[in-house]
Amino acid sequence: MKLTKKRIGIITLAVGIITASLASAPAPARADIVWDHWQKAESLRASGNKDEAVPHWKFLANHYASAGEWENAALFNGNLAAYYDTLGDYDQAISYYESENEYWVKAGKDWGAVKLQRADQIRTTVELYRQERNESTVQQLALPKNSQLAKFEPTYGTYLGIYSEQDPKVGNIFTKMETVYGKKHAIYLAYAHWGQGFPASYAKRAKDAGGALQIAWEPDDGLDPVTDGTYLRKWAQDAKAAGIPIFLRFAGEMNGAWVKWHGNPAQYIAKFRMLHDVFAAEAPNVAMVWSPGDVPANDIDPYYPGDAYVDWVGVSLYIEPYENGDPSLPSMISMSSVERLTRLYNTYSDRKPLMLSETGVPHYAHSAGEDFTEWAKLNLQRLYEIMPYKYPRLKAITYFNVDQKMENAKNDYSLSTSSEIQNYYSKLIANPYLLSKVTDAAKPNDRMGYVPVDANHQAFTKQTKLIPFVKIPDVYIGKVEYILNGQVIASQTDLPYGLELRAGDVPEGSVIQIRVYNKAGKQTALRTFGLSSQVSVEIDGKEQKFEQAPVIVKGSTLTPLRAIFEAMGATVDYEAATRTVTAKKGSTTLRLTLDQKTVYVNGKAVQLDEPAQLVNGYTLAPARFVGETFGGKVAWDGTSRTVTITTK
């Protein structure tokens, strides 16, 4: 069972420190004009006239920044950020929050972290992700820089994981997962404690369910007792005997003062490295997971054991309506999990696959007696669709499936205590991109992936699914509209957001817009994306992959000549001096010259609708001619913009 933990909230901690600093800010000993601005600003603020204080704060913020007096620069940027935040002028507020953090960092303090968190809460975000059929494109985004997959790492896709011990519908009988939620899970989470035996019963149940086991192994008495010896070696040998993949998360959340193994990074690193070496020798089925908490962020990196000793980088990452379940503190509902992963992802994802070792989204806050079902649904989609697509190196998500009742943060994270949440979760995880089996180089069964819609990923073939990531300061979204080439083609008010498009509806050079409304019906965001479809080619039912995609020229579809001829069993030669292509198959010989409409098949002249031409170094010719020259039958499906060639 998960240990009870009381975390120091980042907002509570930082606000207290910054308030103390403001109260004790030294009186400036600069030129009279600076002192005059300071006194005037304080007088106006004290009288409640902040509007007139703003010009003075701006003067002081710029003055102290230019003078390199970073603490004062941070304080006055903070005043401006809070002022514009209160007005709802979020763009200016974000800018000043970011400047405030910059100056706190220059002053050698981490007090700006809470301000960056607030900037994320009020930032309007509209991003778009789409389904991608080209496996090489998806793999390129999901691989590390060195292209070497870690132990048990999927090529692409994200393992489904869960802690179900306190789920009344599943418990520790992991084989029930498919019946209850409609899909097997790849990883099951169990908690273990140093000094106790290997959790063999959990491993057996995971094996019975066809899954792997994540073990959160916690040294409750601190790190001193963690030594190499008979106990550790027996534990490792039992782990090997389990015969399943094991993700070993030793002493997680070590960066947090709420655990006994916090406070000595050098000792932690030494113990982690020792364990790595033992398991490498005794239990090759164990992957070592280094897993801090996402806060406090500035204490994470000193605990990293090094690339040679870490297989996966994990993180405990939760969101909740009220910090530590305390409704008297500022609301946290504007925060999502998405932006909270960014720093860790940017630091480690080039080297290691990432997992959310523990995560959850509550749908009920017991301390406040408030239902947050709509908020939970919004953030569950972000967790299981947006995060795996935005962060393609995020390769596993383990959900903390617990109703805390009035303990810890007093939230209900449970999936099965609400039929609406249970059904919604089942709908989300049906996506094949979320993997049910841990194997080396695993892939989704449908070989589909997702990419951001940006300048490099605008074109798709056949059909695609669009998934928008929409986040507004109002939190709750009233409506999302999809506008294609100036026409509203869909409007959604219900979660989860997403839209399927056919290639035939999206010609080259199309533009799609995402328009967002809040619950009051006010437009709060509009973003435009380029989006196009490409012609695809199938030969005998198999989709062809081309380095140069087919193109449309004056209404004619031109397809890669060499690739298709060779797929049909022909040989192809090109004579650069005469710009002539010769292709042969059986008794048929074709000869054509680039940019000429007349071609010769067995010496007989044939006229093309459009001449063959060179596109980016590849010879393209009319699709029907290419497909029929060597006896194929050619058809065109305008809905999916697909050329089909049948040779059998």
Side-chain angles (χ1 to χ4, degrees):
M1 181 176 291
K2 181 176 171 64
L3 292 175
T4 300
K5 299 171 184 174
K6 179 68 173 177
R7 306 188 187 192
I8 299 174
I10 184 171
I11 287 181
T12 305
L13 180 63
V15 168
I17 295 171
I18 293 171
T19 301
S21 177
L22 280 165
S24 60
R30 307 285 301 200
D32 288 345
I33 188 172
V34 177
W35 178 234
D36 290 344
H37 277 289
W38 188 307
Q39 283 190 311
K40 188 64 174 176
E42 284 301 297
S43 174
L44 291 166
R45 181 193 60 78
S47 66
N49 194 352
K50 292 183 180 179
D51 292 351
E52 293 186 22
V54 167
H56 300 286
W57 287 336
K58 288 183 177 179
F59 173 89
L60 293 163
N62 292 333
H63 168 77
Y64 286 115
S66 62
E69 297 186 32
W70 306 123
E71 288 197 20
N72 284 336
L75 291 172
F76 288 111
N77 273 275
N79 287 349
L80 290 163
Y83 171 79
Y84 286 112
D85 194 345
T86 302
L87 288 184
D89 188 345
Y90 296 127
D91 288 342
Q92 288 210 68
I94 290 167
S95 177
Y96 282 115
Y97 280 135
E98 290 174 341
S99 295
E100 181 184 3
N101 175 70
E102 176 188 349
Y103 297 136
W104 282 128
V105 170
K106 287 182 177 180
K109 304 181 186 302
D110 64 357
W111 298 350
V114 67
K115 302 307 182 77
L116 286 184
Q117 185 180 74
R118 178 57 185 166
D120 281 333
Q121 289 179 345
I122 60 177
R123 181 177 281 110
T124 295
T125 301
V126 181
E127 298 172 353
L128 190 60
Y129 299 87
R130 68 165 180 83
Q131 197 174 55
E132 173 58 62
R133 305 172 64 85
N134 189 325
E135 204 173 353
S136 63
T137 299
V138 177
Q139 290 180 184
Q140 184 179 6
L141 294 175
L143 289 174
K145 270 190 173 180
N146 63 9
S147 298
Q148 298 299 309
L149 294 175
K151 187 180 292 186
F152 308 135
E153 179 182 352
T155 303
Y156 62 98
T158 302
Y159 290 135
L160 269 176
I162 197 161
Y163 174 63
S164 67
E165 185 171 22
Q166 297 183 46
D167 184 336
K169 294 185 179 180
V170 178
N172 286 329
I173 312 302
F174 303 148
T175 51
K176 292 183 178 180
M177 283 301 302
E178 187 172 13
T179 301
V180 175
Y181 296 107
K183 188 171 183 177
K184 292 181 179 179
H185 283 49
I187 301 172
Y188 297 92
L189 170 60
Y191 292 88
H193 307 282
W194 182 269
Q196 298 177 356
F198 174 80
S201 61
Y202 290 90
K204 182 181 184 303
R205 289 166 181 155
K207 187 174 185 178
D208 291 344
L213 192 65
Q214 183 202 149
I215 302 176
W217 200 14
E218 301 183 332
D220 300 334
D221 296 323
L223 293 170
D224 288 342
V226 179
T227 57
D228 190 0
T230 302
Y231 164 72
L232 175 58
R233 296 285 168 163
K234 176 65 164 57
W235 205 99
Q237 290 160 10
D238 289 345
K240 179 182 179 180
I244 59 172
I246 293 173
F247 297 89
L248 183 58
R249 173 165 54 112
F250 172 71
E253 302 179 20
M254 77 299 297
N255 56 314
W258 54 85
V259 297
K260 290 185 178 180
W261 46 92
H262 168 78
N264 189 335
Q267 183 188 30
Y268 178 88
I269 288 171
K271 300 296 186 180
F272 194 100
R273 290 179 173 182
M274 180 270 293
L275 288 174
H276 167 275
D277 292 344
V278 169
F279 283 99
E282 300 281 0
N285 61 317
V286 170
M288 295 297 295
V289 181
W290 174 72
S291 185
D294 75 306
V295 292
N298 288 334
D299 286 342
I300 290 175
D301 298 336
Y303 287 89
Y304 186 59
D307 290 350
Y309 300 92
V310 173
D311 294 309
W312 287 64
V313 169
V315 63
S316 295
L317 194 161
Y318 290 86
I319 58 172
E320 54 189 344
Y322 301 105
E323 187 177 2
N324 286 331
D326 187 349
S328 69
L329 295 175
S331 170
M332 297 284 285
I333 64 171
S334 297
M335 180 64 68
S336 82
S337 300
V338 180
E339 59 271 11
R340 293 183 69 162
L341 185 62
T342 301
R343 181 189 180 279
L344 195 77
Y345 189 87
N346 290 345
T347 303
Y348 295 102
S349 65
D350 281 345
R351 296 175 279 171
K352 301 295 174 181
L354 269 70
M355 68 163 60
L356 300 184
S357 311
E358 288 182 23
T359 190
V361 180
H363 58 85
Y364 191 83
H366 289 291
S367 57
E370 288 184 65
D371 184 274
F372 285 93
T373 296
E374 184 179 2
W375 183 77
K377 291 171 70 174
L378 183 66
N379 284 288
L380 281 169
Q381 184 184 20
R382 292 168 178 170
L383 183 62
Y384 285 101
E385 289 196 318
I386 302 304
M387 293 185 75
Y389 308 159
K390 182 179 179 69
Y391 306 114
R393 299 278 298 139
L394 176 61
K395 299 292 183 77
I397 297 172
T398 300
Y399 192 84
F400 185 64
N401 188 19
V402 171
D403 181 0
Q404 295 180 322
K405 299 185 175 8
M406 288 301 288
E407 298 178 356
N408 297 318
K410 307 174 182 64
N411 292 317
D412 188 354
Y413 295 95
S414 174
L415 298 168
S416 66
T417 55
S418 162
S419 59
E420 185 174 355
I421 292 295
Q422 179 177 334
N423 293 335
Y424 185 77
Y425 176 77
S426 297
K427 181 177 181 178
L428 288 174
I429 67 170
N431 182 357
Y433 194 81
L434 300 172
L435 306 172
S436 295
K437 182 73 174 178
V438 173
T439 58
D440 286 317
K443 297 179 181 180
N445 291 333
D446 64 357
R447 298 299 190 260
M448 296 284 193
Y450 291 81
V451 296
V453 177
D454 57 23
N456 297 319
H457 305 102
Q458 291 185 352
F460 68 94
T461 59
K462 293 189 176 181
Q463 63 185 39
T464 193
K465 184 175 183 181
L466 302 179
I467 304 291
F469 170 34
V470 179
K471 187 171 174 293
I472 59 176
D474 306 81
V475 181
Y476 295 110
I477 296 162
K479 181 170 64 174
V480 176
E481 283 185 344
Y482 304 84
I483 306 158
L484 181 64
N485 298 328
Q487 298 293 318
V488 176
I489 59 170
S491 179
Q492 292 180 321
T493 57
D494 296 325
L495 289 157
Y497 302 123
L499 175 71
E500 293 189 356
L501 284 177
R502 300 172 300 182
D505 297 327
V506 190
E508 286 88 345
S510 291
V511 170
I512 190 161
Q513 294 176 299
I514 307 297
R515 182 185 290 154
V516 185
Y517 298 84
N518 63 15
K519 288 288 187 179
K522 178 183 177 182
Q523 180 179 320
T524 58
L526 176 68
R527 186 163 178 203
T528 302
F529 302 86
L531 189 67
S532 296
S533 67
Q534 290 179 337
V535 173
S536 59
V537 178
E538 288 185 357
I539 300 178
D540 294 328
K542 182 179 180 181
E543 187 172 356
Q544 304 299 298
K545 305 297 182 184
F546 304 119
E547 294 185 33
Q548 170 58 52
V551 300
I552 305 291
V553 177
K554 297 179 182 178
S556 294
T557 302
L558 305 187
T559 56
L561 184 146
R562 178 185 291 274
I564 294 177
F565 278 173
E566 289 181 345
M568 296 175 69
T571 60
V572 183
D573 293 309
Y574 177 67
E575 187 178 283
T578 60
R579 304 179 75 234
T580 300
V581 175
T582 302
K584 297 180 180 180
K585 181 183 179 183
S587 60
T588 302
T589 299
L590 162 73
R591 186 178 179 84
L592 65 80
T593 303
L594 294 179
D595 300 323
Q596 292 186 11
K597 287 190 174 183
T598 303
V599 301
Y600 297 90
V601 179
N602 290 339
K604 183 179 179 180
V606 177
Q607 294 297 118
L608 302 179
D609 293 333
E610 286 294 325
Q613 51 192 271
L614 211 59
V615 178
N616 296 325
Y618 295 89
T619 301
L620 272 62
R624 185 167 298 278
F625 166 76
V626 172
E628 292 178 348
T629 295
F630 294 111
K633 293 182 179 180
V634 179
W636 167 254
D637 179 359
T639 300
S640 64
R641 300 187 78 201
T642 301
V643 175
T644 58
I645 302 173
T646 305
T647 66
K648 301 175 182 178

